Amino acid sequence: MNEARTMLENADLRIEIASQGGELVRIYDKKHSREVLWEGRPEIWGRHAPILFPFIGKCADGAYHYQGTRYPMSAHGFARDMEFSLLSKTDREVWYGLSDTEKTREVYPFSFRLETGHRLEDNKIRVMWKVVNPGDKDLYFMLGGHPAFKTPEGLGVHDFTLDFHQEGPVHFQAPDEDGFQVDELSDLLVLNEGKAAITPGFFERALTYIFDQGQVKTISLLLPGDEPYVTVHSFRTPYMGVWTMEETHPFVCLEPWFGRCDKAGYNGELSDREGVMKLAVGQEFTADYVIEIH
């Protein structure tokens, strides 16, 4: 792997973005002298904040169908494992890009251009996406973020509280034990003043909490005493996921998505899969979300 990294820095933060996957790989909080983004230890989970494209979650039976042909596809798509090209860099903003190749077209028969940008805005990082359809047919895709935020020194996952910045309960959909969507709605997550503590067993109730229908636009991780730690603002994404690999592992992911995991046994057309987006020939799609470090 010939990964290159680009660093951006201001008075509040120091961040690094890798060419491998075009992803954010470091957030250093200068005011509190602490690392905020999970460091990607391979013996636990070797990623940091991967970009999910052109799929989110698993495809049923490890494949999807497009115009009668079956194509194999790994969970969360292939972009996170590919080398991006550096497009531009200023003191506060950097962009990387990825285009289709002969190899990607073997498993994803579309022309595409994916660009990802990261911009420092004081104590915030704006993560920006652009998808372009340069081909001669409609482009079907999903797109999402997967940033993992580590627990500060001396704390664990159960010291976190989720703040949804809203009153009343929210419903969630939880994938089954194999990571596929279930038909029925899961239980309500009852909030206390807009908050839900990550108590022991929280992630046994749901492997991943998926909040759909645009219910959750802003979500924070709070430290003991309700001290704000990290907030993710995502006002356009229809789905927000909350996940950790094991409750003993020191990170929690807050994930804004355009799209979601497949239903178990689904063998219909890609165009009919829940959450998939369609981009017409010559058109582009843009979106962003913001990571705020408190």
Side-chain angles (χ1 to χ4, degrees):
M1 181 187 303
N2 297 317
E3 176 185 280
R5 294 192 175 190
T6 302
M7 186 180 75
L8 300 176
E9 185 172 8
N10 63 14
D12 298 286
L13 304 173
R14 182 183 303 124
I15 68 172
E16 294 180 14
I17 302 92
S19 59
Q20 179 71 16
E23 71 172 301
L24 189 65
V25 293
R26 187 185 187 197
I27 302 174
Y28 180 71
D29 178 357
K30 296 169 70 173
K31 291 192 173 181
H32 294 90
S33 301
R34 62 189 177 194
E35 301 286 349
V36 176
L37 199 66
W38 171 244
E39 63 266 33
R41 288 157 54 188
E43 71 274 15
I44 296 178
W45 188 63
R47 301 184 187 273
H48 312 268
I51 297 167
L52 314 183
F53 178 91
F55 284 85
I56 290 174
K58 294 181 177 180
C59 294
D61 300 320
Y64 67 97
H65 295 82
Y66 173 69
Q67 295 186 346
T69 301
R70 181 182 184 274
Y71 294 92
M73 182 58 61
S74 58
H76 291 324
F78 49 72
R80 62 182 183 166
D81 295 315
M82 295 190 69
E83 184 77 8
F84 283 57
S85 299
L86 179 63
L87 301 178
S88 64
K89 180 186 181 300
T90 67
D91 290 342
R92 60 191 294 263
E93 182 172 321
V94 62
W95 282 86
Y96 281 88
L98 178 71
S99 294
D100 60 285
T101 65
E102 182 177 343
K103 186 175 181 180
T104 67
R105 289 190 292 272
E106 291 177 358
V107 296
Y108 185 62
F110 299 96
S111 297
F112 69 87
R113 179 69 177 169
L114 170 63
E115 298 180 6
T116 177
H118 293 83
R119 180 193 301 150
L120 278 180
E121 300 174 351
D122 298 324
N123 65 321
K124 303 179 182 69
I125 304 138
R126 186 173 300 274
V127 183
M128 301 165 286
W129 298 317
K130 178 190 289 187
V131 179
V132 180
N133 180 1
D136 57 5
K137 60 186 177 184
D138 290 337
L139 172 63
Y140 292 96
F141 70 99
M142 300 180 187
L143 179 65
H146 200 311
F149 303 106
K150 66 179 298 180
T151 58
E153 188 71 26
L155 299 179
V157 165
H158 299 141
D159 293 302
F160 279 142
T161 294
L162 295 169
D163 187 351
F164 291 83
H165 299 269
Q166 58 185 283
E167 294 297 328
V170 290
H171 73 258
F172 65 91
Q173 294 183 337
D176 64 20
E177 61 183 8
D178 295 316
F180 294 109
Q181 180 182 350
V182 295
D183 287 328
E184 67 272 11
L185 286 177
S186 298
D187 295 337
L188 292 173
L189 185 61
V190 178
L191 307 180
N192 180 14
E193 296 183 346
K195 303 178 180 68
I198 301 181
T199 53
F202 184 86
F203 287 104
E204 294 176 7
R205 183 181 179 187
L207 297 173
T208 306
Y209 287 80
I210 301 175
F211 303 98
D212 64 353
Q213 301 176 18
Q215 292 180 90
V216 177
K217 302 297 187 185
T218 297
I219 186 169
S220 300
L221 288 170
L222 306 181
L223 300 175
D226 285 351
E227 177 190 350
Y229 178 52
V230 174
T231 298
V232 168
H233 306 272
S234 185
F235 298 105
R236 288 181 55 198
T237 50
Y239 303 93
M240 180 73 78
V242 177
W243 174 82
T244 192
M245 180 170 271
E246 301 280 351
E247 290 196 341
T248 55
H249 293 342
F251 65 85
V252 171
C253 298
L254 306 178
E255 309 178 36
W257 299 337
F258 289 92
R260 60 159 303 159
C261 55
D262 213 347
K263 289 185 178 180
Y266 179 75
N267 60 5
E269 272 286 309
L270 172 62
S271 58
D272 297 324
R273 177 171 165 169
E274 180 182 341
V276 74
M277 298 192 294
K278 181 174 75 172
L279 193 60
V281 174
Q283 298 300 301
E284 67 178 42
F285 169 85
T286 60
D288 63 4
Y289 72 97
V290 172
I291 301 170
E292 182 177 4
I293 309 301
H294 298 283

